[in-house]
């Protein structure tokens, strides 16, 4: 006799409206499209100047801008797919296409960084002649263009890992242009051609940092790890400390997509306790303390035999036998009970 298999999305949210971040999808697409136009126009000019100036830093910036443009296009496609309503076997819709996009952005940053790192080292050993004046002027214009593009994307919803991936591309490109401008000024004033390669290697380090961060964050979602900042053991202990709760097990916390945490758990209530009241209390606690609005709780009285729905309520004690880590053989993950216990 199971009492509750309930989803809660928060009062008055109307399904998943509670996941809104205050920026509409249409506004996100508009800002991303403006940034894409700025980057594409400047990229074409930079390729020509980079070839004329024989500057790896400029060519690397142009290559990076190409990945910037690709990342924004990918983000726009992912946003449109993610906006489609759930249907058929895709019960969550296609929301995780945004995470695919974020992971692709991270991978392109790392791969491009590896290639530019190789070229940077090669040119550090054998530096070519570099036209410092052309490099400096182009880089200064690039700084302005990238500041404008970064500002456009910052107006979109950056809580989305998809948008954040595109933003990281633009931000790293801004760093690249600053480094290139410094290198151009050094080449122009001192003739030290290796400054171009050194600037490239500095940007490569920043690209690796941003790329690995995106891959790690998207990987956590694909592996259905708990969202960063949420400790499942702490959540389970807090749920178990609620009135009339005897045990919480089969607790799972994951993210459907960035900014949309979800939770499911089996909750055992003391005989005579109000299952419905317990469920409402726990859902309120999860919403207020952890911002988890998508919660599925199966709430039963302690001792109920779920395999025999017509059987009478049995007043017993928990029969689970936790191991040294606090994990029961017949549950998925640790069991949480009131009072101190191992995890």
């Amino acid at each position: 006799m199971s009492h509750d298999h309930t989803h809660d999305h928060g009062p008055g949210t109307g399904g998943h409206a509670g996941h809104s971040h205050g920026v509409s999808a249409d506004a996100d697409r508009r800002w991303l499209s403006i940034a894409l136009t700025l980057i594409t126009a400047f990229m074409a000019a930079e390729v020509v100047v980079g070839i004329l100036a024989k500057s790896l830093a400029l060519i690397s910036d142009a290559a990076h801008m190409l990945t910037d443009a690709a990342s924004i296009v990918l983000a726009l496609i992912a946003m449109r797919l993610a906006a489609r309503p759930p249907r058929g076997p895709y019960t969550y819709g296609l929301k995780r296409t945004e995470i695919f996009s974020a992971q692709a952005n991270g991978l392109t940053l790392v791969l491009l960084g590896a290639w530019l790192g190789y070229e940077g080292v090669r040119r550090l050993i054998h530096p070519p002649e570099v036209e410092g004046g052309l490099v400096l002027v182009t880089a200064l214009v690039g700084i302005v263009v990238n500041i404008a593009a970064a500002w456009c994307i910052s107006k979109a919803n950056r809580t989305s890992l998809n948008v954040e991936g595109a933003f990281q591309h633009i931000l790293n490109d801004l760093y690249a242009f600053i480094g290139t401008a410094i290198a151009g000024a050094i080449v122009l004033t001192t003739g030290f051609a290796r400054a171009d390669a050194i600037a490239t290697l500095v940007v490569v380090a920043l690209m690796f940092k941003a790329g690995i961060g995106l891959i790690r964050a998207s990987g956590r979602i694909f592996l259905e790890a708990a969202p960063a900042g949420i400790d499942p053991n702490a959540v389970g202990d807090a749920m178990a400390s609620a009135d009339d709760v005897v045990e919480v097990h089969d607790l799972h916390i994951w993210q459907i997509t960035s900014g949309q945490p979800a939770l499911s758990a089996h909750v055992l209530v003391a005989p005579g306790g109000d299952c419905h009241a317990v469920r409402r209390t726990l859902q309120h606690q999860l919403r207020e303390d952890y911002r988890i609005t998508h919660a599925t709780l199966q709430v039963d009285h302690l001792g109920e035999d779920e395999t025999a729905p017509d059987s009478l309520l049995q007043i017993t004690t928990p029969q689970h036998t936790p191991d040294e880590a606090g994990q029961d053989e017949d549950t998925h993950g640790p069991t949480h009970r009131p009072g101190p216990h191992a995890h």
Side-chain angles (χ1 to χ4, degrees):
M1 182 171 90
S2 182
H3 291 270
D4 287 290
H5 295 267
T6 306
H7 296 270
D8 177 56
H9 304 279
T13 58
H16 289 277
H19 300 307
S20 172
H21 302 282
V23 183
S24 72
D26 287 340
D28 282 352
R29 286 192 287 267
R30 183 171 63 253
W31 287 115
L32 287 173
S33 297
I34 294 171
L36 177 62
T37 302
L38 288 171
I39 287 169
T40 303
F42 183 75
M43 177 186 67
E46 189 180 21
V47 170
V48 175
V49 176
I51 293 172
L52 293 176
K54 299 179 182 179
S55 168
L56 177 62
L58 278 183
I59 294 172
S60 67
D61 286 340
H64 195 180
M65 292 196 86
L66 178 61
T67 68
D68 293 344
S71 72
I72 295 175
V73 170
L74 194 58
L76 288 167
I77 293 171
M79 289 170 68
R80 288 195 175 277
L81 291 174
R84 293 182 179 179
R87 60 166 59 93
Y90 298 98
T91 56
Y92 283 129
L94 297 174
K95 294 184 182 298
R96 282 201 174 171
T97 54
E98 292 190 325
I99 309 306
F100 276 116
S101 171
Q103 192 162 72
N105 284 334
L107 285 170
T108 55
L109 279 171
V110 170
L111 293 174
L112 182 61
W115 176 73
L116 291 176
Y118 169 77
E119 285 294 319
V121 170
R122 191 172 67 84
R123 291 201 174 198
L124 194 60
I125 298 171
H126 303 290
E129 291 294 326
V130 176
E131 293 291 337
L134 278 175
V135 172
L136 178 60
V137 171
T138 306
L140 290 175
V141 175
I143 289 172
V144 174
V145 171
N146 274 267
I147 288 175
W151 180 82
C152 288
I153 296 183
S154 71
K155 301 293 287 184
N157 173 25
R158 282 184 56 204
T159 60
S160 165
L161 198 58
N162 179 43
V163 174
E164 180 64 15
F167 181 78
Q168 285 298 330
H169 267 272
I170 303 299
L171 190 62
N172 273 272
D173 213 31
L174 175 59
Y175 295 151
F177 275 113
I178 293 173
T180 301
I182 294 172
I186 291 174
V187 172
L188 185 63
T189 56
T190 69
F192 181 60
R194 284 185 173 87
D196 185 74
I198 293 171
T200 301
L201 293 176
V202 171
V203 173
V204 164
L206 295 172
M207 291 170 69
F208 275 131
K209 181 177 182 294
I212 291 171
L214 283 170
I215 292 170
R216 183 184 293 116
S218 58
R220 285 181 62 88
I221 293 178
F222 282 131
L223 293 174
E224 300 200 335
I230 295 182
D231 180 0
N233 287 328
V235 175
D237 289 348
M239 294 173 68
S241 66
D243 292 341
D244 290 330
V245 174
V246 177
E247 178 178 296
V248 176
H249 59 258
D250 288 348
L251 173 64
H252 301 284
I253 307 174
W254 69 101
Q255 282 183 285
I256 299 168
T257 187
S258 52
Q260 292 190 14
L263 176 147
S264 67
H266 189 186
V267 181
L268 296 182
V269 176
D274 186 338
C275 285
H276 297 284
V278 168
R279 186 258 304 164
R280 287 192 296 269
T281 297
L282 292 178
Q283 288 175 329
H284 177 78
Q285 179 186 51
L286 292 170
R287 184 169 56 248
E288 295 300 316
D289 295 347
Y290 302 101
R291 298 184 182 275
I292 299 175
T293 57
H294 189 113
T296 304
L297 302 176
Q298 178 183 339
V299 185
D300 297 300
H301 280 116
L302 176 65
E304 285 184 329
D305 183 359
E306 297 177 29
T307 62
D310 296 329
S311 64
L312 296 176
L313 175 66
Q314 304 167 26
I315 302 178
T316 62
T317 56
Q319 298 300 312
H320 307 302
T321 305
D323 58 21
E324 292 181 359
Q327 181 164 325
D328 297 336
E329 294 181 358
D330 54 349
T331 63
H332 299 94
T335 294
H336 303 270
R337 302 190 184 101
H341 55 279
H343 289 299

